[in-house]
Amino acid sequence: MSRSSAQQPLLSQTVLKPRRAMGLRRDYQLYLLMILPIAYFIVFKYVPMYGAAIAFQNYSIFQGVSGSEWVGFDNFRQLFAMSQFYQVVRNTLLLNFLDLFFSFPAPIVLALLLNELRVVWFKKVAQTILYLPHFISWIIIGGLVYQMFATNGGLVNNLIVSLGLEAVPFLTEKTIWVLVYLGTGIWHSAGWGTIIYLAALTGINKELYEAAEVDGAGRMKKMWHITLPGIRSTIVVMLIMQLGHIMTIGFERPFVMGNPLVMDYAEVISTFVYKSGLQAAQFSLATAMGLFQALVGLIFVVLANTIAKRFGEQGIW
Amino acid sequence: MKTGTLRKTPGFRLVDAVIMLIVGAVMLICLLPFLHIIAISLSSKHAVLSNLVTIFPREIDFHAYEIVFQDSRMLWSMGLTIVLTVSYTLISMVMSICAAYPLTKENLKGRSAFMMLIVFTMFFSGGLIPEYLLVKQLSLLDNLMALIVPGMISAFNLIILRTFFTSIPASLEESAYLDGSSHIGTLIRIVLPLSLPVLATLSLFYAVSRWNGFMDALFYITNADLYPIQLKLYQVVMNSMVTDLTAQEGAAQVDVVPEGIKAASIMFATTPILIVYPWLQRYFVSGVMIGAVKG
């Protein structure tokens, strides 16, 4: 086909016809691009949602989802009757709420501090180092934590002992373990979390600071009356996302940091699903647990978003 | 000398010094565990066992690294992980681009339906067991594809990418169409070259998540010949850690793996990231910011 004849219909479509008229024929390449991604989402995201039906079945590997016997809410009844269920849900909520309380403000404070730094090279070096822990795997962090906090030979305990004090059972005493768990989370993500707030800070109108300066505002006042309100909507969005994930807990962090002596606090939904489902092959029960978690989580997201909108914020949708 | 340059900054005051001090302390806390682990990996067994090592190596000794490098399984896992990470990153990026670009076209029929289909997966999922059963059904267990295919696209990264594509002036693309360019041609010749920072960022995100991920490997891979480095590391570091903790009562503390080897293994698995990371930092900072501005 010659070049001019290929151009002709194209021109008439873009220029003469209203843009609305673009259809399948014009956009077939776009649909072509999307085939594989859409297939991916359907197969690997939506098929498992259908597969979650086994929570209502007495699932047998040989029968599959379509052939297994339906048992209604039996698996849920069995789950709710287990004392371990409450412990696992409690631990998930507890660790997540504490994380929210302690880890959520950390990047905000850190971003405000970084924002006040006026020595450019120092700020850059600081950012490079602060982002680093985010790129380290939980396996490695688990190893680092052990090297730092073990009762025999951990660096921190060596220091404590050399000061003539008694070694602290950081990893084996339940309540202290929770503190180590929280501290590790802050260590891992606080620096990285500043990125989003620093981005929001660049969006604040500089004239506001100048005006405040003319009015005689000091550093603290400017931070309180301009900087913080300036990143308020970012803080709210981040808070909603966190609240929405209050039931979801990553697998790797509790899995790596937990040990048999602190299981009363370290066993969370994700690790429980892994152990009861994949290790003990109670597929239906573990799926019921996962489905319970996903549904409650979804409710939290919707609630948090609605509340944010009530308070006049944008929300996430 | 340094204070001299600092004083030149207009209005440098005590407050600035205090802030630098605080941030400096936080930086130190970030680095301390690494310094300690490097020190342990380079110290003699004697120094480690008598708790002499803090952040400087004592009685320097490369024995631990010799053992790690002689462990052919460790090297094999590392090689496997490098290949896995590169292929995963490439596939993920191609898939993400294919999904994100059409979604920027406001006139595309069905766009909002696809968008909803994708966003919903961020808030609700079938759960671990159905995903495992799916992978099993596709006979991907003990197959490295199980570490690539099920996590090919991250909805979050996809949205960052789409946001970035949207910020490219529409007039550029329109003039390309007028010159007879197809959608795919425009994407390759105009949109992608303008998106290098965000492409670099997302590649880094995908690469790091594959490099560091071990949850799926733990579920799907049982054949030790296919262990990626993190799972291999898990065996070295964690298994001995649990025995240490439970055998803590004192009596027979048989150290299966000496501290030094654990430390050297950790450094071995971390070094590639430490090498790549500073080069990519400028990209990911700008990339995340661009993605974040419109949230």
Side-chain angles (χ1 to χ4, degrees):
Chain A
M1 204 183 278
S2 79
R3 244 175 125 232
S4 60
S5 66
Q7 256 174 18
Q8 214 54 39
L10 228 150
L11 257 177
S12 64
Q13 266 180 341
T14 24
V15 183
L16 301 179
K17 286 190 187 170
R19 302 202 60 182
R20 225 177 289 119
M22 290 189 201
L24 258 176
R25 217 174 128 205
R26 168 85 205 269
D27 290 335
Y28 79 97
Q29 286 193 334
L30 295 177
Y31 290 106
L32 219 63
L33 287 176
M34 280 204 298
I35 287 177
L36 277 178
I38 297 286
Y40 163 77
F41 277 101
I42 291 172
V43 173
F44 287 99
K45 298 289 169 183
Y46 284 89
V47 169
M49 286 186 206
Y50 161 73
I54 70 173
F56 303 98
Q57 292 182 331
N58 187 3
Y59 180 74
S60 131
I61 295 210
F62 307 105
Q63 307 290 327
V65 182
S66 51
S68 290
E69 170 203 5
W70 292 90
V71 293
F73 285 90
D74 275 6
N75 291 315
F76 290 91
R77 270 186 221 113
Q78 197 192 334
L79 193 66
F80 296 153
M82 291 167 74
S83 63
Q84 220 193 339
F85 169 80
Y86 297 97
Q87 193 190 43
V88 164
V89 171
R90 179 204 70 184
N91 291 347
T92 306
L93 289 174
L94 181 80
L95 293 179
N96 276 340
F97 266 117
L98 288 174
D99 247 351
L100 194 65
F101 194 77
F102 291 104
S103 306
F104 185 76
I108 302 173
V109 174
L110 207 51
L112 291 176
L113 284 172
L114 285 171
N115 191 44
E116 294 293 322
L117 283 178
R118 291 195 242 169
V119 186
V120 178
W121 67 265
F122 185 79
K123 188 175 171 178
K124 286 204 167 141
V125 172
Q127 282 175 291
T128 306
I129 291 175
L130 294 176
Y131 298 152
L132 186 63
H134 177 79
F135 291 90
I136 304 302
S137 82
W138 278 108
I139 297 282
I140 289 174
I141 294 176
L144 293 178
V145 165
Y146 182 75
Q147 289 288 0
M148 297 299 284
F149 292 109
T151 320
N152 309 325
L155 180 63
V156 177
N157 266 324
N158 282 350
L159 284 176
I160 292 177
V161 169
S162 70
L163 291 173
L165 302 167
E166 208 160 304
V168 181
F170 287 108
L171 301 173
T172 47
E173 221 295 310
K174 290 167 204 161
T175 39
I176 308 179
W177 177 85
V178 171
L179 294 179
V180 174
Y181 178 90
L182 291 174
T184 312
I186 296 177
W187 183 84
H188 178 242
S189 61
W192 180 251
T194 60
I195 285 193
I196 197 133
Y197 296 110
L198 288 173
L201 284 169
T202 57
I204 298 176
N205 188 346
K206 297 282 175 295
E207 286 174 24
L208 290 175
Y209 289 106
E210 284 160 26
E213 220 156 296
V214 173
D215 289 345
R219 256 183 168 179
M220 283 307 284
K221 284 211 158 159
K222 278 190 276 182
M223 191 189 279
W224 189 252
H225 293 291
I226 303 171
T227 313
L228 271 178
I231 58 174
R232 195 179 75 151
S233 56
T234 309
I235 295 177
V236 172
V237 169
M238 297 306 283
L239 195 62
I240 302 174
M241 305 259 267
Q242 283 270 316
L243 270 175
H245 289 137
I246 205 87
M247 277 296 277
T248 331
I249 191 157
F251 172 82
E252 305 188 346
R253 182 171 160 208
F255 181 72
V256 165
M257 293 199 62
N259 62 65
L261 298 176
V262 296
M263 264 313 141
D264 287 353
Y265 282 173
E267 191 79 280
V268 293
I269 295 179
S270 52
T271 53
F272 176 79
V273 169
Y274 167 64
K275 282 171 195 163
S276 60
L278 294 194
Q279 289 187 335
Q282 293 177 295
F283 291 114
S284 285
L285 191 76
T287 308
M289 182 62 149
L291 198 60
F292 171 78
Q293 174 192 29
L295 282 174
V296 178
L298 191 64
I299 294 170
F300 268 112
V301 178
V302 175
L303 267 183
N305 200 49
T306 316
I307 293 169
K309 282 190 172 167
R310 281 276 157 77
F311 281 94
E313 293 291 344
Q314 255 194 327
I316 38 181
W317 65 77
Chain B
M1 195 184 86
K2 269 174 191 156
T3 45
T5 50
L6 292 187
R7 277 204 200 105
K8 276 182 209 148
T9 327
F12 188 82
R13 280 187 318 233
L14 186 67
V15 193
D16 295 273
V18 172
I19 292 171
M20 281 177 79
L21 216 64
I22 297 174
V23 175
V26 178
M27 283 156 66
L28 201 66
I29 293 174
C30 284
L31 285 180
L32 209 64
F34 293 106
L35 298 177
H36 180 53
I37 213 96
I38 294 171
I40 290 222
S41 69
L42 288 173
S43 298
S44 74
K45 197 174 173 184
H46 164 257
V48 173
L49 288 178
S50 35
N51 294 339
L52 289 171
V53 184
T54 51
I55 57 170
F56 302 108
R58 292 284 184 92
E59 304 167 20
I60 290 189
D61 177 354
F62 294 97
H63 197 61
Y65 285 96
E66 272 168 36
I67 294 179
V68 170
F69 278 97
Q70 274 163 12
D71 182 347
S72 60
R73 292 230 157 172
M74 193 71 132
L75 294 177
W76 170 251
S77 287
M78 180 63 109
L80 204 65
T81 310
I82 291 173
V83 174
L84 194 65
T85 303
V86 171
S87 1
Y88 172 77
T89 306
L90 276 175
I91 294 175
S92 291
M93 284 310 288
V94 171
M95 291 287 278
S96 302
I97 291 167
C98 287
Y101 183 66
L103 290 173
T104 60
K105 301 282 169 247
E106 280 174 29
N107 306 302
L108 192 77
K109 286 203 179 87
R111 186 186 76 130
S112 54
F114 294 144
M115 207 53 207
M116 271 178 54
L117 190 85
I118 290 163
V119 171
F120 184 66
T121 63
M122 290 173 78
F123 300 109
F124 190 79
S125 79
L128 192 151
I129 304 295
E131 279 166 26
Y132 171 82
L133 292 174
L134 175 71
V135 169
K136 190 181 160 80
Q137 214 126 63
L138 298 172
S139 23
L140 289 178
L141 289 185
D142 269 333
N143 182 333
L144 287 181
M145 288 317 272
L147 304 185
I148 293 182
V149 182
M152 258 188 309
I153 305 181
S154 137
F156 185 77
N157 288 354
L158 173 59
I159 286 172
I160 291 184
L161 192 60
R162 193 190 75 110
T163 310
F164 189 94
F165 285 164
T166 315
S167 72
I168 293 173
S171 52
L172 275 177
E173 288 172 55
E174 263 159 37
S175 60
Y177 294 134
L178 291 180
D179 288 342
S181 171
S182 65
H183 283 300
I184 292 176
T186 314
L187 173 63
I188 291 170
R189 279 193 295 270
I190 303 209
V191 177
L192 290 186
L194 288 170
S195 312
L196 287 181
V198 79
L199 296 180
T201 308
L202 295 186
S203 305
L204 178 72
F205 285 0
Y206 278 124
V208 168
S209 73
R210 184 60 276 157
W211 185 272
N212 283 342
F214 72 94
M215 183 175 151
D216 48 0
L218 182 71
F219 297 167
Y220 305 144
I221 306 291
T222 48
N223 179 352
D225 288 338
L226 298 177
Y227 278 1
I229 189 77
Q230 301 295 341
L231 201 56
K232 177 75 189 147
L233 206 60
Y234 174 72
Q235 309 256 303
V236 174
V237 177
M238 290 299 147
N239 285 356
S240 60
M241 177 176 127
V242 174
T243 39
D244 272 10
L245 280 172
T246 42
Q248 217 177 44
E249 300 304 305
Q253 205 200 27
V254 188
D255 221 16
V256 189
V257 181
E259 304 297 306
I261 297 180
K262 281 196 235 173
S265 309
I266 288 176
M267 285 321 297
F268 177 70
T270 315
T271 311
I273 293 237
L274 296 184
I275 293 171
V276 177
Y277 167 83
W279 303 99
L280 290 164
Q281 195 202 346
R282 66 193 179 100
Y283 289 112
F284 70 69
V285 172
S286 62
V288 172
M289 288 190 177
I290 291 151
V293 170
K294 244 194 110 189

